Amino acid sequence: MGGMPLNDMPWWRWRSNVRSALHMISDLVFQQECWLAGLPGYGDVTDAVYRLVEDTWLDNWSAEKYVGTIFRDSQEAALVDLAVLRVLKILHQVGADAPVATYLEHHAWPEAVRAAREAHVRLATADGEDPDTPPRSLDVLKIYTRSA
């Protein structure tokens, strides 16, 4: 999310939240160093899932519905849908209040991470950003989504 928010999409704030969630879910090093370590400022897995689906209702319908508003094309939407389905399946199996380690040790977590990574790389690249930079804190995300 660079130095300025990417606001060429009509619902760019929602895109920023989805990207932030996908970024955190897709980064195993981040998960070890921040989520498992309890580093403040980054939330936890449940927070990331909430950012992924909160305003978009991606837990109820396809990302395809948001092509042209949050997502640039059907390929982005399809990758996001796959990531959402994989993450929500785990969430429903372990429970929203499960400790971070429970998610990370779940047998399907590697597939969720892989799907989130594919979606994250596609969205970050389309936004002209390096997908390999570490995820930013929630405070930084808040600053980006407040500015116009």
Side-chain angles (χ1 to χ4, degrees):
M1 289 173 289
M4 294 276 294
L6 182 71
N7 56 14
D8 67 330
M9 297 298 295
W11 296 352
W12 63 270
R13 287 178 177 88
W14 291 5
R15 182 178 177 90
S16 296
N17 282 327
V18 168
R19 281 197 48 207
S20 169
L22 289 169
H23 196 170
M24 290 181 181
I25 294 167
S26 72
D27 188 329
L28 292 172
V29 172
F30 165 82
Q31 293 166 20
Q32 295 290 320
E33 293 177 355
C34 295
W35 282 348
L36 273 177
L39 191 66
Y42 293 91
D44 60 16
V45 179
T46 304
D47 297 320
V49 173
Y50 185 70
R51 277 193 317 285
L52 189 59
V53 300
E54 73 174 309
D55 290 325
T56 60
W57 285 64
L58 291 175
D59 52 341
N60 290 310
W61 52 61
S62 173
E64 184 70 29
K65 177 180 178 83
Y66 299 109
V67 169
T69 55
I70 298 174
F71 306 111
R72 296 181 187 283
D73 56 37
S74 291
Q75 187 176 7
E76 280 188 0
L79 291 170
V80 169
D81 277 341
L82 182 59
V84 167
L85 290 174
R86 296 207 188 271
V87 170
L88 287 178
K89 182 177 180 180
I90 296 167
L91 175 88
H92 291 138
Q93 289 176 358
V94 302
D97 295 329
V100 171
T102 303
Y103 286 90
L104 277 57
E105 293 166 0
H106 191 278
H107 66 90
W109 190 251
E111 285 300 317
V113 169
R114 190 173 6 267
R117 175 71 182 168
E118 289 177 20
H120 164 64
V121 167
R122 172 78 181 194
L123 272 66
T125 302
D127 291 348
E129 296 184 12
D130 180 1
D132 294 322
T133 60
R136 292 179 178 87
S137 73
L138 299 180
D139 287 339
V140 171
L141 177 64
K142 218 179 283 187
I143 291 167
Y144 286 149
T145 56
R146 282 189 190 152
S147 58

